[in-house]
């Protein structure tokens, strides 16, 4: 049975409010203001990273917060350990996003062991890169499967991977995340079976959006 919080996100837009290291907008208060603007625009949930951002955003919005903690740049860096996950919960996350790959984790636990340890503490969003990850997430009992870590493909989200994940997931919701840059991309993802879509760069990231336009006319 799908959790009521997750059920409330069906057919809805989730906005990922994150800024990269060194960018002018990388500040918890700024991200909280962006998240509040997204909520007022119709976002059904916010995805965000870092304990300060999670806490700041949770204090501003009334919609659910999907939290994660990025540490490092190689291997597993999206909520890489049980400690990171529990810290996200303490900061105010309603759902915790975790890398669902089989790559080694800093604390030596597997993804499955991490999910088991968190059972009953939070809802888990499994960030997947391929169908092996999806199967791992389903067997571990993740509450949400997401295409977050899918490889880059030209022209928008990886719809082929999305369709395969939806077919395999049964009653487990599959979120589409990654390279949804246009209204057409969003509509295509929903038509391909996404339970909900997560849009990051195309909404809260003016530096990237500006570069798209600059490159187009340059």
């Amino acid at each position: 049975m799908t959790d009521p919080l997750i059920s409330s996100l069906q057919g809805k837009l989730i906005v990922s409010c994150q800024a990269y290291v060194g960018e002018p907008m990388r500040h918890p208060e700024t991200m909280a203001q962006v998240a509040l603007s997204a909520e007022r625009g119709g976002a059904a949930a916010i995805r965000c990273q870092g304990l300060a951002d999670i806490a700041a955003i949770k204090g501003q919005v009334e919609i659910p917060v999907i939290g994660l903690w990025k540490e490092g740049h190689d291997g597993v860096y999206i909520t890489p350990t049980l400690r990171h996950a529990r810290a996200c919960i303490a900061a105010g996350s309603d759902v915790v996003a975790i890398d669902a790959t089989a790559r080694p984790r800093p604390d030596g636990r597997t993804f499955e062991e991490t999910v088991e340890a968190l059972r009953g503490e939070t809802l888990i969003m499994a960030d997947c890169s391929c169908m092996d990850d999806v199967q791992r997430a389903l067997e571990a009992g993740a509450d949400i499967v997401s295409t977050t870590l899918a490889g880059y493909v030209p022209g928008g989200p990886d719809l082929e991977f999305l369709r395969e994940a939806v077919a395999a997931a049964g009653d487990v919701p599959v979120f589409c995340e990654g390279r949804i840059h246009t209204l057409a991309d969003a509509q295509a993802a929903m038509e391909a079976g996404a339970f909900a879509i997560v849009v990051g760069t195309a909404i809260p990231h003016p530096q990237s959006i500006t570069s798209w336009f600059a490159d187009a006319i340059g």
Side-chain angles (χ1 to χ4, degrees), residues 3-150:
D3 185 274
L5 185 154
I6 299 173
S7 294
S8 73
L9 304 180
Q10 186 167 12
K12 301 293 181 60
L13 168 67
I14 298 158
V15 176
S16 181
C17 296
Q18 301 181 45
Y20 303 123
V21 174
E23 289 186 339
M25 292 182 65
R26 190 175 173 89
H27 189 279
E29 183 179 357
T30 301
M31 288 294 98
Q33 292 168 334
V34 171
L36 182 57
S37 296
E39 179 184 31
R40 292 180 178 178
I46 300 296
R47 178 173 161 121
C48 56
Q49 91 82 24
L51 304 184
D53 284 21
I54 293 168
I57 289 170
K58 186 66 177 177
Q60 284 284 348
V61 304
E62 297 182 1
I63 54 180
V65 171
I66 302 169
L68 58 132
W69 180 358
K70 291 180 179 176
E71 188 163 271
H73 303 284
D74 300 313
V76 176
Y77 61 87
I78 296 178
T79 322
T81 71
L82 180 60
R83 175 179 65 87
H84 288 81
R86 286 186 167 143
C88 289
I89 298 169
S93 299
D94 300 292
V95 180
V96 176
I98 299 176
D99 179 307
T101 67
R103 295 176 293 185
R105 296 163 198 271
D107 62 1
R109 289 183 174 88
T110 64
F111 171 77
E112 295 91 335
E113 290 168 343
T114 303
V115 172
E116 180 60 30
L118 291 169
R119 199 172 307 281
E121 296 184 32
T122 188
L123 298 170
I124 298 294
M125 180 175 181
D127 286 351
C128 300
S129 68
C130 62
M131 286 304 300
D132 285 346
D133 297 346
V134 171
Q135 194 59 46
R136 182 176 305 106
L138 295 173
E139 292 175 358
D143 301 284
I144 300 165
V145 169
S146 179
T147 63
T148 310
L149 297 175

